[in-house]
Amino acid sequence: MSNKPAGPEILIHVNGAPRTVPEGLNVRTLLVELKLDPARVAVELNREIVRKPEWDNTIIDAGASLEIVTFVGGG
């Protein structure tokens, strides 16, 4: 049994790799699903930067292409 919600899924690309996700997913929820820390990433959707205040209202459509960059600290 899967923990994924039942319902239609769509195909998107994340950092060049195909991935199926639930239809209607927003950027913030995708980051949670990918287990990424929202405080440490930048998101580009279809070649446009999506600012953090817009993540909850930005729905990912079928065929979307996302680039997610994780910031890594060091010294």
Side-chain angles (χ1 to χ4, degrees), residues 7-53:
E9 290 194 332
I10 59 172
L11 178 65
I12 63 172
H13 286 84
V14 178
N15 294 349
R19 181 176 190 89
T20 56
V21 297
E23 186 175 49
L25 199 68
N26 67 35
V27 171
R28 186 174 308 279
T29 305
L30 175 64
L31 295 175
V32 169
E33 184 171 298
L34 296 174
K35 296 179 175 63
L36 295 172
D37 180 357
R40 301 186 59 81
V41 299
V43 178
E44 183 180 276
L45 173 61
N46 298 327
R47 298 184 179 242
E48 299 216 3
I49 298 291
V50 182
R51 301 198 184 284
K52 287 182 184 184

